[in-house]
Amino acid sequence: MSSVSPKEEVAAESGEVGNVVKFDPFCSTAEASFWTKLAELKLNEVRLSEDRVSIRGTYGPPPPPPKAGSNSNKSNCNVNFSPPSRMRLDHGSIGDDDEGKNHRNEVVSCNGSIVLLNTIEKLKRVDKKKMLMEYFHPLLVRCCTPNKNSDENEDDLKILTGFHCLSYLDLKK
């Protein structure tokens, strides 16, 4: 019995064994400017509300790894290592300003939301799996239901880049 997956068998038959993407690791970064602007929003506008707040981020590929013989790679790190793709949130992620809409060409703008909880106890008690299902299930149904209008289909594909965050901001410290 072979321990090779069907995808690997197809790739081997086509001669593309080294080019098969099995998993693209993902990481996210929330810059300090994002947390500062989020704290201002919580204090001045959201206050005690725990409703969803619309935010946006950018998702993009990692920078290319340094070349094998370059002087910029003076450490003993693995040259073949490629850092993961990255979701980035910064001060432009919050609000209606145009600053967050202008981004580099190699990144994709992603719309999402964040829920700001008022107590750490509430954050611990939240059923996170249920919350994700409530948020993403309607999006998946909408995305997977064919529409006759091609313009709507294009908009529906944008929901695949959506994200949802859950946070507790301790603003008393």
Side-chain angles (χ1 to χ4, degrees), residues 45-98:
E45 294 177 37
V46 176
R47 299 180 188 247
L48 294 176
S49 172
E50 293 183 345
D51 294 336
R52 287 185 185 144
V53 176
S54 294
I55 59 174
R56 64 186 166 272
T58 56
Y59 179 79
K67 294 183 179 176
S70 72
N71 290 335
S72 63
N73 186 16
K74 299 202 185 248
S75 67
N76 292 329
C77 67
N78 182 357
V79 176
N80 294 324
F81 170 75
S82 177
S85 299
R86 185 173 94 144
M87 169 66 85
R88 182 172 180 259
L89 301 171
D90 61 13
H91 67 282
S93 298
I94 301 168
D96 294 330
D97 60 348
D98 289 335

Side-chain angles (χ1 to χ4, degrees), residues 24-172:
D24 185 23
F26 174 84
C27 73
S28 60
T29 303
E31 306 288 337
S33 62
F34 171 77
W35 295 114
T36 302
K37 191 149 184 187
L38 191 63
E40 289 174 13
L41 180 75
K42 179 72 172 166
L43 285 171
N44 299 329
E45 294 177 37
V46 176
R47 299 180 188 247
L48 294 176
S49 172
E50 293 183 345
D51 294 336
R52 287 185 185 144
V53 176
S54 294
I55 59 174
R56 64 186 166 272
T58 56
Y59 179 79
K67 294 183 179 176
S70 72
N71 290 335
S72 63
N73 186 16
K74 299 202 185 248
S75 67
N76 292 329
C77 67
N78 182 357
V79 176
N80 294 324
F81 170 75
S82 177
S85 299
R86 185 173 94 144
M87 169 66 85
R88 182 172 180 259
L89 301 171
D90 61 13
H91 67 282
S93 298
I94 301 168
D96 294 330
D97 60 348
D98 289 335
E99 193 174 339
K101 295 177 185 173
N102 299 324
H103 52 76
R104 300 182 327 259
N105 288 335
E106 67 269 12
V107 298
V108 175
S109 182
C110 307
N111 294 321
S113 63
I114 188 167
V115 173
L116 302 168
L117 299 177
N118 295 317
T119 64
I120 191 73
E121 291 79 20
K122 186 147 189 178
L123 178 67
K124 291 177 183 177
R125 285 193 319 258
V126 168
D127 184 354
K128 293 160 186 76
K129 190 180 246 185
K130 180 181 176 188
M131 181 196 69
L132 286 173
M133 286 303 296
E134 288 173 355
Y135 179 77
F136 286 109
H137 186 264
L139 298 179
L140 289 173
V141 168
R142 183 173 153 213
C143 179
C144 298
T145 305
N147 288 329
K148 293 180 181 177
N149 186 342
S150 63
D151 292 337
E152 287 181 20
N153 282 338
E154 227 172 88
D155 289 339
D156 287 345
L157 293 177
K158 291 179 183 177
I159 65 174
L160 291 175
T161 61
F163 63 96
H164 186 64
C165 301
L166 179 66
S167 179
Y168 160 67
L169 297 175
D170 188 359
L171 299 175
K172 295 176 186 171

